[in-house]
Amino acid sequence: MAACLQNHQGPIVVLAHENPDGDALGSVLGLSRALRAIGKSVIAPMEVPHYLRFVVEPGEIVAPLSEWPADTLVAVLDVDNNDPVRVAGADLTTFSGPVANVDHHGTNLRRADAGVVDPSRPAATMIVADVIDALGVPWTEAIATPLMLGLNTDTGNFAFESVTPETFECAARLRAHGARIGWLTEQLRQKPRSYFLLLQEVLGTLEFLWDGQVVLARVDDVMLARAGASWEDVESYVGLLRNAEGSRLAVMIKDFGDRVKVSLRSSGGVSAQNIAVALGGGGHVPAAGATLSESYSEARRKIDQAVAAELSRASASTPA
Ligand code: 5GP
Ligand code: MN
């Protein structure tokens, strides 16, 4: 991966997944800053959500590309390059040049010209840190901080079961290089008023299913309008639902009218990934998602079916 980036003389376009999170943005910023430090020409197109803008320096992220510069190498981060619908920032289906991939999703098909896919890493930024080491770029606070952002957000502040001794070793290394963890945490905790007003709406839709093992909520644009909120305000609600005592699955459904996006978080032997895959999506065992191109009621029937199948699989394979 490092050799591929090092040897490429033309522009390097760095992309991540749609609806970017801290790990997607952190990976893009960390790698872009490192590549620029060794004289590479980097283009990083992304629509950065409002709550993450604090970490972006003026000019380093650009609007989505409408055409490919000549002699481009594409580096796709925190998403499978074989899933071009999920890759944002440029239309990968119209690109025929070399593609490098760094990802930590187990569902990755592992077809790229160069790449590292490692599902044992709780954040893609951990792999990016290794690539930066292999490139021999001198570490700076500006490179370490966005990589720490990815670690922070994808591990739930170092709280998930996915955290390994190596995760803390990586965090220690980034911290030693000056990563501003206190500043990141403080900035990420700030929520706009619309977040709370929309939460009030969303809690009105809360359902406890399967004897409380499943907690489900729904949000649509009418609720958004009433709260003066945006879809972005919804992102962290699923993390709140998973805190319900006795629950093993949190389901947050964004109802866009003609399609729905479902976010899944699981624990206690239940696989969010199995449910997401059954619905045509993907992700990790404890956190996964899918988009269904149908109305809420139609999609809801499929979601309920996939949830039922996974719960019976989980209870069959886990002795009570
Ligand atoms: P979220 O629910 O936060 O959108 O996503 C949780 C995890 O599932 C993330 O790792 C994300 O990459 C993955 N994911 C979410 N939606 C999809 C999807 O439609 N397809 C695939 N392959 N992965 C998804
Ligand atoms: Mn990630």
Side-chain angles (χ1 to χ4, degrees):
M1 177 76 193
C4 171
L5 295 166
Q6 187 75 264
N7 295 337
H8 188 77
Q9 296 310 312
I12 300 175
V13 173
V14 184
L15 305 175
H17 58 79
E18 55 163 3
N19 197 9
D21 54 16
D23 194 30
L25 176 62
S27 296
V28 167
L29 288 180
L31 187 65
S32 303
R33 290 174 184 180
L35 290 171
R36 285 180 178 134
I38 55 167
K40 297 292 175 188
S41 156
V42 176
I43 303 166
M46 180 186 278
E47 282 174 304
V48 180
H50 179 85
Y51 76 99
L52 291 173
R53 287 199 188 140
F54 71 93
V55 78
V56 178
E57 295 294 337
E60 66 177 331
I61 297 285
V62 297
L65 294 186
S66 48
E67 52 192 70
W68 296 101
D71 194 24
T72 288
L73 166 72
V74 177
V76 176
L77 311 180
D78 196 27
V79 60
D80 186 350
N81 61 290
N82 301 290
D83 193 358
V85 184
R86 296 252 315 138
V87 178
D91 182 3
L92 207 52
T93 61
T94 63
F95 184 70
S96 51
V99 178
N101 188 209
V102 167
D103 191 20
H104 67 133
H105 292 92
T107 45
N108 191 301
L109 296 177
R110 296 164 173 83
R111 282 197 302 259
D113 297 290
V116 187
V117 177
D118 186 353
S120 79
R121 306 300 190 92
T125 57
M126 273 180 78
I127 311 174
V128 173
D130 287 352
V131 172
I132 291 172
D133 273 336
L135 281 167
V137 181
W139 280 95
T140 60
E141 178 253 291
I143 296 174
T145 296
L147 298 184
M148 185 71 98
L149 168 67
L151 268 181
N152 237 304
T153 54
D154 264 24
T155 64
N157 286 317
F158 302 93
F160 294 158
E161 206 54 63
S162 61
V163 171
T164 64
E166 196 201 9
T167 314
F168 288 114
E169 280 160 19
C170 179
R173 214 150 49 92
L174 296 175
R175 182 63 170 158
H177 294 308
R180 299 171 65 192
I181 192 164
W183 176 71
L184 285 172
T185 310
E186 203 45 54
Q187 294 289 320
L188 290 167
R189 276 190 190 151
Q190 304 293 315
K191 306 280 188 212
R193 182 181 303 193
S194 55
Y195 165 92
F196 297 98
L197 296 178
L198 184 62
L199 184 58
Q200 201 168 23
E201 298 271 346
V202 170
L203 290 180
T205 73
L206 204 58
E207 293 178 52
F208 290 94
L209 308 164
W210 292 86
D211 213 15
Q213 290 184 79
V214 179
V215 185
L216 180 148
R218 177 185 154 273
V219 61
D220 63 22
D221 51 8
V222 177
M223 295 156 74
L224 241 56
R226 272 200 299 260
S230 68
W231 288 109
E232 209 184 294
D233 290 306
V234 182
E235 288 312 309
S236 58
Y237 293 165
V238 69
L240 219 56
L241 302 185
R242 74 192 293 282
N243 292 336
E245 191 178 0
S247 73
R248 302 163 83 194
L249 180 69
V251 185
M252 184 68 230
I253 307 176
K254 291 183 194 162
D255 180 357
F256 297 108
D258 56 343
R259 75 197 154 90
V260 309
K261 160 79 209 256
V262 52
S263 280
L264 301 154
R265 301 292 183 271
S266 65
S267 59
V270 174
S271 167
Q273 188 181 59
N274 284 349
I275 300 167
V277 167
L279 297 170
H284 313 280
V285 172
T291 295
L292 291 89
S293 303
E294 45 214 321
S295 70
Y296 178 77
S297 56
E298 196 67 23
R300 180 61 196 273
R301 195 162 39 238
K302 290 189 181 165
I303 293 165
D304 286 344
Q305 248 170 38
V307 167
E310 174 54 17
L311 285 182
S312 49
R313 186 207 61 81
S315 51
S317 61
T318 329

